[in-house]
């Protein structure tokens, strides 16, 4: 006899419901590493406050496979061994199994970092970038998937950089809200060469407060002290965590976390994104006190505030301050000079007068840059966009002028020969038009 089927939904046991809720709160963690039991321990705390026996989670094949997938998605150049991501993937399983064995028996040693210097937009100076080998990037990604959840749960609320579910726009929204609430005296701080100057021993001590696995701590230390290859010179750093390293953003957040919590306890409204932070105050006196507090902590932590780039500003007056690509001044915001410079540099690279592609192909390529740029800077003052639209059209007119046998930039009669409507017909993305559309009330 067929059993009758109930129309009532089956009730999940309380433990199952709880487990599902915990997993949902930690949906971003690597599931092959973080079991339901471990996630519950994250929330309820572990005995003694320290995590033991983690190295087997680092070298688990599931974790290593997921780590490679993240490395592949981020792309990137080859390291000192000249092995590309594609080359590593051709023998993926043997490569991962070899890594697993070396991590398990303690014979893994990171290769040297290939150091290059990349220009800072709008400046003559350059910043160093360390390029690990693909193999080392996989190890770092696997290590990060184990360590990050341990520290993430206790990071300060006002820290937004390189954290799951957070980003620049969240930090900018908080700055905007604080300015509107009257926090107009701003400590605009800059840590000089932060990533290259983090002291190793204090950093390892902070990690050791939560991690008791000696093999994991030794792995972190080995990654911090891996050699650097720059032109024909090899050297081993005594401080810092290289920009370009997969694990560096997490280590940078761990080191600055005590500053975050100290400022919160002192009652200061701080907004931090990695090593870039501002402190918003109601009075000039409060801002001076905040700056003195930061100066004391930074000195005790072995870091340095840039003397020329750290100041107190009144956001209601001319001058203002830059933060996360925006410039804030007198109740308005617009892209900082650096941000404008980066956009123009990107457009110049796609609109050279000797460009051999069709106009439609050039416009399509430029549109990809313009659409992404607008998505981030759409909250700027409306005067921002018309000037930049004019710059893009000038670059395109210069190409067309060159093709007609002319020289120099597109100007004068070129505006009548190729009017704005001409480029609109060819599908050029207009920042001004996008801004006007974004400001229209939504239709019901």
């Amino acid at each position: 006899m067929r059993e009758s089927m109930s129309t009532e939904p089956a009730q999940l046991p309380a433990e199952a419901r709880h487990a599902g809720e915990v997993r949902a709160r930690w949906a971003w963690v690597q599931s092959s590493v973080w079991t339901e039991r471990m996630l519950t321990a994250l929330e309820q705390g572990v005995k003694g406050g320290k995590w033991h026996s983690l190295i087997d989670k680092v070298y688990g094949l599931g974790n290593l496979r997921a780590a490679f997938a993240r490395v592949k998605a981020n792309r990137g150049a080859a390291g000192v061994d000249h092995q590309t991501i594609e080359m590593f993937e051709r023998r993926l399983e043997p490569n991962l199994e070899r890594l697993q064995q070396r991590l398990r028996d303690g014979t893994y040693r990171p290769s040297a970092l290939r150091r290059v210097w990349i220009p800072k937009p709008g400046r003559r100076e350059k910043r160093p970038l360390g390029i690990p080998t693909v193999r080392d990037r996989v190890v770092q990604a696997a290590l990060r998937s184990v360590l990050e959840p341990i520290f993430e749960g206790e990071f300060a609320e006002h820290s937004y950089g390189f954290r799951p579910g957070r980003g620049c726009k969240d930090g900018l929204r908080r700055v905007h809200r604080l300015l509107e609430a009257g926090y107009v005296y701003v400590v605009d701080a800059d840590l000089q060469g932060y990533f290259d100057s983090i002291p190793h021993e204090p950093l390892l001590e902070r990690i050791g407060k939560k991690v008791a696995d000696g093999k994991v701590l030794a792995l972190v230390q080995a990654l911090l002290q891996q050699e650097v290859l720059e032109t024909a010179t090899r050297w081993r750093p005594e401080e810092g965590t290289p920009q370009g390293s997969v694990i560096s953003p997490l280590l940078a957040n761990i080191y600055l976390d005590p500053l975050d919590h100290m400022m919160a306890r002192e009652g200061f409204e701080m907004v931090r994104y990695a090593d870039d932070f501002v402190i918003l105050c109601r009075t000039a006196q409060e801002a001076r006190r905040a700056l003195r507090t930061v100066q004391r902590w930074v000195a005790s932590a072995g870091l340095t505030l840039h003397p020329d780039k750290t100041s107190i500003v009144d956001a209601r007056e001319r001058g203002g301050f830059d933060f996360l690509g925006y410039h804030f001044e007198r109740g308005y915001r617009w892209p900082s000079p650096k941000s404008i410079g980066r956009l123009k540099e990107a457009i110049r690279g796609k609109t050279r007068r000797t460009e051999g592609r069709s106009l439609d192909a050039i416009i399509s390529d430029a549109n990809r840059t313009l659409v992404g740029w607008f998505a981030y800077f759409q909250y700027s003052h409306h005067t921002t966009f018309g000037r930049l639209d004019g710059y893009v059209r000038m670059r395109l007119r210069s190409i067309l002028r060159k093709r007609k046998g002319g020289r120099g930039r597109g100007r004068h009669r070129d505006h009548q020969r190729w009017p704005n409507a001409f480029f609109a017909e060819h599908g050029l993305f207009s920042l001004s038009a996008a801004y006007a559309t974004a400001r229209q009330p939504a239709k019901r």
Side-chain angles (χ1 to χ4, degrees):
M1 183 177 176
R2 182 179 297 173
E3 294 181 351
S4 61
M5 298 182 64
S6 171
T7 58
E8 293 296 320
Q11 297 296 312
L12 287 172
E15 290 184 5
R17 287 201 305 275
H18 173 70
E21 291 167 359
V22 172
R23 174 63 68 183
R25 286 193 291 271
W26 295 88
W28 57 273
V29 304
Q30 180 55 44
S31 58
S32 64
V33 173
W34 289 94
T35 64
E36 304 288 356
R37 181 168 167 269
M38 291 174 67
L39 291 176
T40 300
L42 270 178
E43 297 193 346
Q44 296 179 356
V46 292
K47 187 175 181 180
K50 290 190 177 185
W51 289 79
H52 300 258
S53 303
L54 292 173
I55 191 65
D56 61 313
K57 310 297 188 299
V58 175
Y59 64 63
L61 273 179
N63 189 27
L64 292 175
R65 290 190 189 102
F68 173 77
R70 289 193 293 275
V71 169
K72 181 181 178 180
N74 290 332
R75 297 180 291 184
V80 295
D81 62 356
H82 306 292
Q83 185 178 48
T84 64
I85 292 172
E86 292 75 17
M87 293 165 64
F88 190 92
E89 189 174 24
R90 287 186 200 128
R91 291 182 50 78
L92 181 60
E93 287 304 310
N95 283 335
L96 295 183
E97 288 170 4
R98 190 177 304 111
L99 264 184
Q100 181 188 50
Q101 183 59 43
R102 290 179 178 175
L103 288 166
R104 178 190 286 128
D105 61 24
T107 59
Y108 167 80
R109 298 291 183 273
S111 303
L113 285 164
R114 180 166 68 88
R115 181 177 246 196
V116 297
W117 291 82
I118 59 176
K120 291 185 175 182
R123 297 191 198 174
R124 292 182 179 179
E125 59 185 298
K126 297 183 178 182
R127 68 179 179 90
L129 182 69
I131 304 176
T133 62
V134 176
R135 180 194 72 148
D136 291 342
R137 297 208 292 271
V138 171
V139 171
Q140 290 182 32
L143 177 62
R144 180 171 178 169
S145 71
V146 172
L147 291 181
E148 189 168 29
I150 294 173
F151 292 90
E152 172 60 31
E154 296 185 16
F155 280 156
E157 183 64 26
H158 60 253
S159 167
Y160 294 93
F162 305 105
R163 294 182 59 190
R166 290 166 166 257
C168 291
K169 290 183 179 180
D170 300 303
L172 289 167
R173 276 191 286 268
R174 186 157 183 266
V175 168
H176 180 69
R177 287 195 300 268
L178 288 168
L179 288 171
E180 286 195 324
Y183 291 80
V184 295
Y185 292 92
V186 181
V187 179
D188 184 10
D190 184 276
L191 289 170
Q192 189 168 12
Y194 173 61
F195 280 86
D196 285 334
S197 60
I198 301 174
H200 289 172
E201 285 304 316
L203 173 59
L204 289 168
E205 287 175 11
R206 286 174 193 176
I207 297 172
K209 290 179 179 178
K210 291 182 177 293
V211 175
D213 189 321
K215 291 185 177 180
V216 168
L217 293 174
L219 178 57
V220 174
Q221 185 171 21
L223 292 170
L224 287 172
Q225 296 177 348
Q226 65 188 119
E227 285 188 315
V228 176
L229 177 62
E230 187 173 358
T231 57
T233 306
R234 276 180 179 261
W235 51 279
R236 193 176 297 279
E238 297 180 359
E239 59 185 11
T241 175
Q243 295 187 64
S245 168
V246 177
I247 198 74
S248 286
L250 174 61
L251 299 181
N253 275 335
I254 290 172
Y255 197 68
L256 287 181
D257 188 52
L259 171 63
D260 293 338
H261 288 287
M262 181 193 71
M263 297 304 285
R265 287 193 305 271
E266 294 285 334
F268 294 118
E269 297 290 351
M270 180 174 173
V271 183
R272 182 174 70 81
Y273 192 97
D275 58 331
D276 194 4
F277 65 89
V278 289
I279 306 160
L280 295 95
C281 307
R282 288 189 180 276
T283 66
Q285 181 181 6
E286 182 186 0
R288 288 192 292 270
R289 185 169 68 88
L291 179 55
R292 288 194 298 270
T293 303
V294 169
Q295 287 170 332
R296 287 193 296 269
W297 186 91
V298 166
S300 69
L303 304 173
T304 305
L305 283 174
H306 198 298
D308 300 325
K309 298 178 183 178
T310 300
S311 61
I312 296 173
V313 301
D314 184 342
R316 298 168 300 182
E317 298 179 355
R318 287 187 179 276
F321 66 98
D322 295 347
F323 188 60
L324 299 182
Y326 272 89
H327 179 79
F328 295 84
E329 180 181 323
R330 292 171 290 158
Y332 300 106
R333 53 181 163 170
W334 56 82
S336 68
K338 286 184 190 177
S339 300
I340 296 290
R342 289 191 187 100
L343 175 63
K344 288 186 174 181
E345 183 179 353
I347 292 298
R348 277 197 300 272
K350 297 182 176 186
T351 57
R352 303 186 190 282
R353 283 193 284 271
T354 55
E355 181 63 63
R357 295 176 297 170
S358 70
L359 179 64
D360 287 344
I362 296 170
I363 287 176
S364 177
D365 195 11
N367 281 350
R368 283 190 283 272
T369 296
L370 294 170
V371 169
W373 192 89
F374 179 77
Y376 187 76
F377 289 104
Q378 62 179 297
Y379 305 103
S380 301
H381 191 266
H382 67 88
T383 56
T384 299
F385 305 107
R387 293 193 297 268
L388 291 173
D389 279 338
Y391 175 81
V392 176
R393 289 192 295 264
M394 179 275 292
R395 295 290 304 179
L396 296 173
R397 287 187 181 108
S398 299
I399 294 172
L400 297 174
R401 180 183 178 89
K402 170 79 172 176
R403 292 177 180 180
K404 291 288 186 180
R407 300 174 64 183
R409 291 183 170 187
R411 59 190 185 277
H412 306 317
R413 292 182 59 190
D414 295 331
H415 289 263
Q416 285 75 49
R417 187 183 296 178
W418 301 293
N420 296 353
F422 170 83
F423 296 107
E425 290 169 2
H426 280 265
L428 178 64
F429 181 81
S430 168
L431 297 168
S432 299
Y435 178 83
T437 300
R439 290 302 171 270
Q440 291 177 356
K443 295 181 179 179
R444 292 185 177 180

